């Protein structure tokens, strides 16, 4: 097991990497598929809030995930200051940055390590979950990863790992676009209270919410470009007919 975890595994063929990337992109763009797959993004989003809250010395009360793919992470501490700002900032940037981390591991041939790291992160999040739907969502995701990492052959493991990395990279931008669309609707309705992460950050820092949305999008786009370069297949061996 230690040899598998610390060793390297071969990447799938170039055409399979391209096919998996197209499948991940289609999952993000197709509305019905996205609604189901977005639960994975929400797990990463709330996990990011929770991790940074702990790292900045805040007391974590727990995470709740809901069937509409929304979530909430509750922590206690100073209602202002760097810790609160970093905690609010972490949510939208975590999924694309996690995708970039996965891409770096896969580029180094660490497929098994990437899968087991995913399981460890899901296990840590599960401990923090405080509602039934959230627990079921994390358990279901973890069960799929465990089944692939334990029972599947090397080729299927590679395909699944690349699919997960591509999905997180492509999925980083869509929630940000949805966030800004919701903010526009609330502003048009003259809502008195905008509760998004961007608006919480605006309240904490005085920097407009749109600036934070732009930062979220820039991080997602940057992670996609960098991760795409890492995951891009080696086509030097392709023979043109």
């Amino acid at each position: 097991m230690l040899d598998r975890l610390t060793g390297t595994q071969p990447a799938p063929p170039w055409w399979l990497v391209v096919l998996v990337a197209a499948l991940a992109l289609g999952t993000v763009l197709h509305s019905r598929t996205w609604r189901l797959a977005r639960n994975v993004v929400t797990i990463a989003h709330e996990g990011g809030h929770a991790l940074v809250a702990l790292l900045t010395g805040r007391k974590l009360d727990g995470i709740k995930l809901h069937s509409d793919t929304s979530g909430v992470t509750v922590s206690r501490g100073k209602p202002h200051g760097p810790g609160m700002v970093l905690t609010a900032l972490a949510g939208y940037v975590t999924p694309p940055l996690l995708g970039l981390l996965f891409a770096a591991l896969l580029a180094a041939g660490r497929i098994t390590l990437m899968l087991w790291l995913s399981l460890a992160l899901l296990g840590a999040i599960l401990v923090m979950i405080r509602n039934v739907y959230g627990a079921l969502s994390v358990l279901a995701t973890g069960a799929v990863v465990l089944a692939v990492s334990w029972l599947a052959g090397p080729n299927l493991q590679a395909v699944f790992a690349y699919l997960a990395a591509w999905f997180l990279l492509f999925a980083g931008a869509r929630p940000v676009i949805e966030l800004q669309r919701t903010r526009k609707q609330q502003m048009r309705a003259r809502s008195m209270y905008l509760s998004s992460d961007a608006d919480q950050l605006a309240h904490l820092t005085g920097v407009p919410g749109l600036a934070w949305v732009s930062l979220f999008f820039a991080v997602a786009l940057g992670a996609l470009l960098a991760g795409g370069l890492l995951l891009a297949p080696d086509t030097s061996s392709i023979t043109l007919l």
Side-chain angles (χ1 to χ4, degrees), residues 179-218:
L179 165 65
Q180 183 57 21
R181 185 182 301 130
T182 301
R183 292 183 72 250
K184 282 185 177 181
Q185 293 172 350
Q186 290 176 337
M187 286 185 287
R188 287 172 183 169
R190 297 183 179 180
S191 174
M192 297 296 294
Y193 180 66
L194 302 178
S195 59
S196 71
D197 291 354
D199 295 295
Q200 289 183 21
L201 286 164
H203 175 73
L204 290 167
T205 64
V207 178
L210 182 59
W212 292 107
V213 175
S214 300
L215 176 61
F216 297 158
F217 189 80

Side-chain angles (χ1 to χ4, degrees), residues 5 56 59 63 76 88 100 102 122 135 146 149 153 176 187 193 199-200 227-228 240:
L5 192 61
T56 55
K59 182 176 177 58
I63 299 172
R76 285 182 287 167
L100 180 57
F102 286 172
L122 287 168
L146 179 62
S149 60
V176 180
M187 286 185 287
Y193 180 66
D199 295 295
Q200 289 183 21
L240 297 178

Side-chain angles (χ1 to χ4, degrees), residues 63-235:
I63 299 172
K64 290 184 179 181
L65 306 175
H66 306 298
S67 58
D68 63 355
T69 71
S70 67
V72 61
T73 299
V74 179
S75 63
R76 285 182 287 167
K78 292 182 179 180
H80 51 76
M84 187 63 195
V85 171
L86 291 173
T87 299
L89 175 63
Y92 280 96
V93 302
T94 295
L97 291 180
L98 185 60
L100 180 57
L101 172 61
F102 286 172
L105 290 174
L106 294 179
R110 309 288 183 174
I111 295 174
T112 302
L113 179 60
M114 176 255 170
L115 292 173
W116 282 89
L117 175 61
S118 302
L119 281 173
L121 293 174
L122 287 168
I125 292 173
L126 181 61
V127 175
M128 307 174 194
I129 295 294
R130 296 294 181 267
N131 68 325
V132 174
Y133 180 84
L136 291 176
S137 182
V138 174
L139 283 171
T141 305
V144 173
V145 178
L146 179 62
V148 170
S149 60
W150 191 259
L151 301 176
N155 291 333
L156 183 55
Q157 286 185 7
V159 168
F160 181 84
Y162 272 75
L163 178 62
W166 276 119
F167 172 74
L168 287 173
L169 291 171
F170 283 129
R174 180 160 180 173
V176 180
I177 296 172
E178 294 173 345
L179 165 65
Q180 183 57 21
R181 185 182 301 130
T182 301
R183 292 183 72 250
K184 282 185 177 181
Q185 293 172 350
Q186 290 176 337
M187 286 185 287
R188 287 172 183 169
R190 297 183 179 180
S191 174
M192 297 296 294
Y193 180 66
L194 302 178
S195 59
S196 71
D197 291 354
D199 295 295
Q200 289 183 21
L201 286 164
H203 175 73
L204 290 167
T205 64
V207 178
L210 182 59
W212 292 107
V213 175
S214 300
L215 176 61
F216 297 158
F217 189 80
V219 171
L221 183 59
L224 175 58
L225 293 175
L229 290 174
L230 289 170
L231 293 177
D234 180 9
T235 58

Side-chain angles (χ1 to χ4, degrees), residues 3-69:
D3 289 340
R4 288 181 59 193
L5 192 61
T6 58
T8 60
Q9 297 79 36
W14 70 268
W15 59 269
L16 199 52
V17 175
V18 174
L19 183 62
V20 166
L23 178 60
L25 179 59
T27 300
V28 173
L29 295 178
H30 187 261
S31 297
R32 291 186 178 179
T33 310
W34 168 248
R35 180 172 176 78
L36 177 62
R38 198 184 191 285
N39 285 284
V40 176
V41 180
T42 303
I43 292 172
H45 178 114
E46 300 303 332
H49 282 313
L51 175 62
V52 174
L54 291 173
L55 291 177
T56 55
R58 298 180 63 81
K59 182 176 177 58
L60 183 65
D61 286 342
I63 299 172
K64 290 184 179 181
L65 306 175
H66 306 298
S67 58
D68 63 355
T69 71

